[in-house]
Amino acid sequence: MSSPLIAPRRGLGVLLILLSLFGAARVADAAKVTFRYQPMIGGVSSVAVAGSFNGWNATANPMADADQDGVWSAEVEIAAGRVEYKYVVNGDQWFTDEFASETQDDGFGGKNAIVVVGAQAIAVGHGSPPPKPAAAAIGLRRVTFRFRPDLRPDQVSLAGQFNDWTVGKTPMTDPDGDGEYTATLLLAPGDYHYKVVLGANGWTQDKASQDGEVDDGFGGKNSVRKVDERFPAIAVKVGDGDVFSDGIEHVQGAQELNHKGAGRVEFTARAHRDDVQGVDLVIWQSGRQTVTPLPRFNVDRVFEYFRGEVTLPAGVTDYAFRYRDGAKTLWLTPKGLGASDTDRFRFDATKFPAFVTPDWVKHGIIYQIFPDRFRNGDPANDQDFKEWYYRGKTQLPASGRIDPSFQEYYHLTKDWNDAALLTQAKHTPDGRDWMVFYGGDIAGVRQSLDHLQSLGVTILYFNPIFEAKSTHKYDGADYRKVDPHFASNEEFRAFVKEAKARGMRIILDIVYNHCGSGHHAFKDAVEKGPQSPYYSWFDFKQWPLPAGWPDVGRPWKPADYYSCWWGFGDLPDLNFDLARYGGAEHTVRDIAEASPNHQLARERLARTAV
């Protein structure tokens, strides 16, 4: 059964506006889509379908169960293209369609279902046949993304709905060195949310080329690319001897070339989806040619991926990729996809050093623990909210409701099994409550070691455990001690010793690109401004902050005052490069090009200990 998801709030309003302008007139290139859903929970009073076709409106398209068989349905006329949707039960519980042949991350830890609408009426959901693939339904369009960064980053890539928001999966390149990076994709018509990523984590809006923008759910904006008749139509087919070459590259990046050590090297190539019959890795060594067929190992909405491992002798090895389709053979070389194999890539172990993963990780069984929600082993250390950063944040206002954009309400539940507090809270607009503590702690994990060991667990991976205001603890207030509501430092050391005696290793999740607004250095910087010795630790846009901080008492945007992770005021970014602001630090290719904040780096290392 699907888990209820919170409303994604990510739909575009463009289509809804157009429909309102044209009233009930039939939308050109549209088709009737019948949605069918059988809720698997009791007490169902209403069901609706919401998605990108109606602005994620939970009431615009109600569903009915006329024959009382438990299956609700609705017929909706939708314009051709790629559509995301969810089912809404009782007005506030959001469910993914389990019968969808394709899904997309909704940005909130769940999935939106996907259907591609063509010219013919279709049915989706319970009891409906799987819809046809996107390419077969409405064709593909050739779409080139272009971006010109201010600096020369070590890598540029696209991340968006077309590649599950995966950094590095869709690299952008600048072969002519003019400063403009490009990537070409074959996409079905529809709207796609995306960002450009500079380096490993420099998420950047594409303001120069976007067709629109939407909230990204983190205080910023995603760019929107509308794929329509502006882009040329492209037909791809396996076995037709026609290989689409745009966007097919091999830049010898980490996702394409993986040196595992002892001469073992893993190669990855890609082709446009449903376009080739196969890809081979061809190696030339000492005048001898070796051909290794690469198995297809993965596919996304745009590409299919081919990967294989070979053992290479010491020295330099030349290689290229051979693409096969029908009677056609093409070679991917440093000059692109063409008919000649005379230009070849070179692998040199001295330039691509091995990345060796410890055996205990490769062969281990990892159990991830969110401490507050695992087990309450010691009620004596439950939250009492005596720390300074909880002041004014532990009582509901007289209305009994809060505005999460600027108000906080931290509280402890004594009912461990009351999971409804997380998604059906009455004091928040959408029912979500991420400020409720359950009392889980290290003692609870210690008491469960027998059970964990019986499962074969060899590695315990902890979400952050250092002192912090939140339940998740990514907003570190003091990296020198374990949060006192989890354990003391001495208690945690004793726990680690016992776990290691059982053959279990411990991995701690620690974040260094930001701290928490409850950290002593940020508090001092906010209170004293440029006179604080810690002011340069952070990227302030303006100072002072609004009166009353940290309990401002009115709506405000922390990101207007200082750089913070995804716009969350509780997560102020740390300023490691004095010459660059915020995410621009991620574009630095060499430390020689930076102005390191040595005081911050030294203090950060010195103050991290358990």
Side-chain angles (χ1 to χ4, degrees):
M1 185 181 75
S2 297
S3 297
L5 268 303
I6 304 306
R9 315 294 189 205
R10 293 176 62 194
L12 295 175
V14 178
L15 180 58
L16 192 60
I17 293 171
L18 291 174
L19 288 173
S20 66
L21 290 174
F22 289 100
R26 187 179 188 276
V27 181
D29 298 324
K32 292 181 178 179
V33 180
T34 299
F35 294 92
R36 292 169 53 84
Y37 181 61
Q38 182 178 38
M40 300 300 289
I41 62 173
V44 176
S45 59
S46 69
V47 181
V49 60
S52 56
F53 58 88
N54 67 5
W56 295 99
N57 189 317
T59 61
N61 294 105
M63 303 173 74
D65 181 14
D67 58 6
Q68 298 296 304
D69 66 348
V71 179
W72 298 64
S73 65
E75 185 178 83
V76 185
E77 190 171 45
I78 300 176
R82 177 179 171 278
V83 173
E84 299 183 41
Y85 67 96
K86 267 194 173 83
Y87 298 114
V88 189
V89 178
N90 296 336
D92 62 357
Q93 298 180 64
W94 295 68
F95 291 85
T96 305
D97 187 350
E98 293 181 349
F99 293 92
S101 60
E102 185 180 3
T103 59
Q104 162 68 45
D105 289 343
D106 64 11
F108 296 92
K111 296 286 186 181
N112 291 334
I114 303 292
V115 62
V116 177
V117 182
Q120 303 299 319
I122 58 174
V124 298
H126 182 84
S128 303
K132 295 180 180 179
I138 56 175
L140 298 172
R141 299 279 176 172
R142 177 180 179 272
V143 184
T144 298
F145 293 80
R146 304 179 185 279
F147 187 78
R148 188 180 293 274
D150 294 331
L151 302 170
R152 294 287 293 182
D154 57 343
Q155 66 179 20
V156 183
S157 64
L158 287 173
Q161 294 179 320
F162 38 73
N163 66 3
D164 295 323
W165 296 95
T166 305
V167 177
K169 195 173 186 180
T170 307
M172 303 183 76
T173 59
D174 178 22
D176 59 7
D178 67 348
E180 182 179 71
Y181 290 75
T182 64
T184 299
L185 308 179
L186 299 185
L187 298 173
D191 295 331
Y192 296 84
H193 303 179
Y194 71 98
K195 272 190 169 78
V196 177
V197 185
L198 307 178
N201 198 34
W203 294 75
T204 306
Q205 187 180 349
D206 182 14
K207 293 185 178 180
S209 301
Q210 65 187 23
D211 295 318
E213 60 183 31
V214 293
D215 290 339
D216 61 14
F218 299 98
K221 299 289 184 180
N222 286 333
S223 296
V224 178
R225 175 60 51 88
K226 183 177 290 294
V227 177
D228 51 26
E229 64 278 356
R230 294 175 300 165
F231 301 96
I234 295 292
V236 295
K237 182 180 179 182
V238 174
D240 63 358
D242 187 10
V243 179
F244 189 72
S245 61
D246 283 13
I248 304 301
E249 303 167 300
H250 179 71
V251 298
Q252 296 186 312
Q255 296 206 26
E256 300 170 320
L257 190 62
N258 181 15
H259 185 188
K260 296 182 172 183
R264 296 179 299 116
V265 184
E266 185 179 74
F267 292 88
T268 300
R270 68 182 185 183
H272 287 280
R273 187 171 178 172
D274 300 322
D275 192 31
V276 301
Q277 291 177 307
V279 177
D280 303 321
L281 171 68
V282 182
I283 293 172
W284 290 268
Q285 184 77 26
S286 301
R288 181 182 176 184
Q289 183 186 93
T290 303
V291 178
T292 303
L294 299 180
R296 182 184 287 104
F297 84 99
N298 195 12
V299 63
D300 58 29
R301 292 185 180 87
V302 181
F303 296 108
E304 50 190 356
Y305 301 84
F306 302 82
R307 175 174 290 174
E309 180 183 305
V310 296
T311 300
L312 301 180
V316 176
T317 300
D318 291 344
Y319 69 96
F321 298 98
R322 185 173 65 186
Y323 285 65
R324 296 177 281 102
D325 189 60
K328 191 72 166 285
T329 297
L330 293 175
W331 294 87
L332 178 59
T333 70
K335 291 189 175 181
L337 202 59
S340 173
D341 67 349
T342 54
D343 291 288
R344 299 163 184 171
F345 298 103
R346 309 202 90 186
F347 174 80
D348 183 345
T350 62
K351 295 182 178 180
F352 299 96
F355 183 87
V356 180
T357 305
D359 287 341
W360 63 267
V361 175
K362 286 186 291 189
H363 305 301
I365 297 177
I366 301 176
Y367 193 107
Q368 183 171 354
I369 292 176
F370 190 99
D372 179 70
R373 308 289 164 77
F374 183 80
R375 181 177 178 179
N376 189 342
D378 182 9
N381 65 21
D382 285 356
Q383 275 288 349
D384 53 16
F385 305 107
K386 291 183 178 179
E387 290 81 6
W388 71 267
Y389 39 73
Y390 290 119
R391 287 199 297 267
K393 302 177 186 295
T394 59
Q395 297 291 328
L396 284 172
S399 65
R401 296 177 65 84
I402 65 169
D403 181 343
S405 68
F406 72 99
Q407 293 175 313
E408 296 172 299
Y409 170 49
Y410 291 95
H411 52 114
L412 172 72
T413 178
K414 293 296 185 179
D415 186 353
W416 181 268
N417 297 311
D418 189 4
L421 288 173
L422 301 174
T423 59
Q424 300 174 40
K426 299 186 182 303
H427 63 275
T428 62
D430 58 9
R432 290 187 296 172
D433 183 3
W434 56 88
M435 302 178 201
V436 56
F437 288 84
Y438 280 76
D441 49 31
I442 299 303
V445 182
R446 189 172 188 176
Q447 293 164 14
S448 301
L449 286 177
D450 284 343
H451 173 65
L452 293 167
Q453 193 167 24
S454 73
L455 297 177
V457 174
T458 60
I459 303 167
L460 296 177
Y461 179 100
F462 281 90
N463 281 78
I465 63 170
F466 294 108
E467 181 186 349
K469 179 176 65 174
S470 70
T471 59
H472 55 71
K473 307 302 179 188
Y474 282 100
D475 52 332
D478 190 340
Y479 291 87
R480 296 169 297 179
K481 67 176 182 179
V482 175
D483 191 287
H485 305 292
F486 286 163
S488 66
N489 285 10
E490 292 72 23
E491 289 169 334
F492 184 71
R493 291 191 188 99
F495 161 76
V496 171
K497 184 177 181 180
E498 181 174 344
K500 292 181 69 174
R502 294 169 177 260
M504 294 181 179
R505 294 177 182 262
I506 307 297
I507 296 177
L508 300 183
D509 188 343
I510 305 175
V511 179
Y512 288 122
N513 64 308
H514 61 70
C515 66
S517 58
H519 194 280
H520 78 93
F522 187 72
K523 181 175 184 290
D524 194 81
V526 170
E527 293 174 347
K528 300 176 182 177
Q531 301 305 312
S532 168
Y534 306 110
Y535 190 77
S536 67
W537 283 26
F538 308 94
D539 276 316
F540 284 97
K541 301 177 183 178
Q542 55 177 309
W543 184 86
L545 270 58
W549 182 92
D551 190 13
V552 175
R554 62 174 175 80
W556 68 295
K557 289 187 176 182
D560 290 342
Y561 291 84
Y562 54 90
S563 177
C564 44
W565 186 83
W566 285 96
F568 287 107
D570 278 347
L571 303 173
D573 288 335
L574 288 165
N575 181 24
F576 286 102
D577 188 344
L578 296 171
R580 292 173 175 82
Y581 180 81
E585 294 179 352
H586 301 301
T587 67
V588 178
R589 306 177 69 174
D590 191 310
I591 194 171
E593 302 174 7
S595 296
N597 190 339
H598 292 293
Q599 180 206 10
L600 168 60
R602 284 194 298 267
E603 182 78 3
R604 196 76 171 145
L605 291 174
R607 287 181 174 266
T608 302
V610 175

